[in-house]
Amino acid sequence: MKIRTRYAPSPTGRMHVGNLRTALYAYLIAKHEDGTFILRIEDTDQEREVEGAVDIIYRTLRDTGLIHDEGPDIGGPVGPYVQSERQAKGIYLEYAKQLVEKGEAYYCFCTPERLKTLTRTVNGEEITQYDKHCLSLSKEEVEANLKAGMPYVIRQNNPREGTTTFHDELYGDITVDNAELDDMILIKSDGFPTYNFANVVDDHLMGITHVVRGNEYLSSAPKYNRLYEAFGWEVPVYVHCPLITDENHKKLSKRSGHSSFEDLIEQGFIPEAVVNYVALLGWSPESEREIFSLEELVKEFDYHRISKSPAVFDMVKLRWMNGEYIKAMDFDRFYELAEPYLKKVIKKPMDLKKIAAMVKTRIEVLPDIDGHIDFFEQVPEYDCSMYVHKKMKTNEESSLALLKDVRPLLAETEDFSNDGLFALLKAYGEEKGYKTGYIMWPIRTALSGREMTPAGATEILEVLGKEESLKRIDAAIEKLENR
């Protein structure tokens, strides 16, 4: 059997991390077995659809590399399947009517006012369980109501007695009492299918063999199974993924600020790192390895190693992983990503590529760049005590003397490159009997006003240039003299 999976999002906004994981796992399950991965936009709930959300889905899957394999041609080489377009062809209503003829579904003409009377509170939550009132209507009454143009829905006819059992690859066999199964709506009063019904029909028609979704759908699975059985269709393999929580073990929500893929990209994370991290939210490889490219995930992924326990979204772990991706990244690509952050901070003419090279191995996310380079634009206020360093054996007096000593050397040299400046200061140290740190610490402090910098003194001198460097050293000398 050739594996066929699908990702079937509803266009209701940004792609939640949980939805991205569903798409990723569906993709990996298919590709691991050289199968087919398809995209289906489930837009039958017109009231919830958000403008631009379909474009977000396309863009997110493109940026993460989760490219679907087939579908009708819609604005590209391979477009997705779109349920609203399929609904216009009458596909779902046709199948719902088949169930009506089999007695597995029925027309319901109940008004909203009557349905409100069926609402009851269970465990503090209001629920409505339909009482099968319209199931008792005769065929003649149904036809008369339809002819009169009465609004209706089509409901699934679930039994009230006995049990229903379904199998999940992770959770095993799960049995529920049929009394818990509501007669869910299959076709709404606007003629559109519900998510649940269209989902089952399309999965069958598209030959989906493995259905991947979050475990919040476990409670709906028995109703899905009854639909498959009512049609006489083969039930797919179910893989229900564990819940994703925040660090406080609460459901990951929009308020967390990192619940969607776009949130994370805007916070300076790299798509490949996000995909790698999301793959590990509930799945573990056989080895202790944690860094995987998408191609490597395809080779390694075994859905039987998905855990049933909730997965904790650990921002510290994601930041670390993102930093590893940045370190390994080709410099040209890194500079392309870093340039907007560099230009936001540095307005003076400087070699931004050299500055980018300084921070590449020091940051975890792109916005970290700011805190490493702001001194290039302007020296922050700092205390003269920063010149005191026990290991370098420097203090305020020795630093003032050294800055006064090297200032004319820097002013006179024509070679203001990193190598040239290092050679100049090294020769000066050998002449004076000074260690390198004794020389570089006061210079670096004068240039940056910072205890930590992404590069050494001579690298900073080179980027600042002679004029700006001498200006900063003069200001440091004055600061030390007036302390």
Side-chain angles (χ1 to χ4, degrees), residues 198-254:
N199 201 280
V200 168
V201 172
D202 279 344
D203 280 349
H204 169 72
L205 295 179
M206 295 174 188
I208 301 305
T209 62
H210 292 63
V211 171
V212 183
R213 58 188 176 216
N215 67 3
E216 65 269 25
Y217 290 102
L218 273 171
S219 60
S220 300
K223 289 182 277 192
Y224 295 153
N225 268 26
R226 295 200 64 84
L227 286 173
Y228 279 105
E229 291 165 2
F231 280 118
W233 295 342
E234 185 176 352
V235 177
V237 173
Y238 289 123
V239 181
H240 286 88
C241 304
L243 180 70
I244 299 176
T245 72
D246 61 19
E247 291 90 339
N248 297 317
H249 303 286
K250 295 182 179 179
K251 187 175 181 179
L252 198 63
S253 69
K254 292 180 180 180

Side-chain angles (χ1 to χ4, degrees), residues 307-328:
S307 171
K308 292 183 287 187
S309 302
V312 177
F313 192 102
D314 184 346
M315 185 58 85
V316 173
K317 180 74 172 288
L318 175 56
R319 284 180 61 92
W320 164 80
M321 185 173 285
N322 201 70
E324 294 301 302
Y325 270 83
I326 289 176
K327 289 186 182 80

Side-chain angles (χ1 to χ4, degrees), residues 66-137:
L66 307 182
I67 308 303
H68 54 281
D69 294 310
E70 66 178 44
D73 184 14
I74 303 173
V78 182
Y81 294 98
V82 179
Q83 280 189 340
S84 60
E85 296 176 2
R86 294 167 63 75
Q87 186 270 342
K89 300 175 183 177
I91 293 173
Y92 308 111
L93 182 57
E94 174 190 334
Y95 279 99
K97 287 180 177 178
Q98 287 183 22
L99 292 180
V100 172
E101 291 173 6
K102 292 182 174 185
E104 299 287 352
Y106 57 96
Y107 289 94
C108 173
F109 300 94
C110 289
T111 63
E113 290 73 24
R114 182 178 188 279
L115 293 175
K116 285 181 182 177
T117 67
L118 304 177
T119 300
R120 56 194 176 91
T121 302
V122 178
N123 296 326
E125 182 181 352
E126 283 194 350
I127 65 169
T128 300
Q129 187 170 38
Y130 190 63
D131 60 359
K132 292 183 178 287
H133 174 75
C134 288
L135 179 62
S136 62
L137 294 177

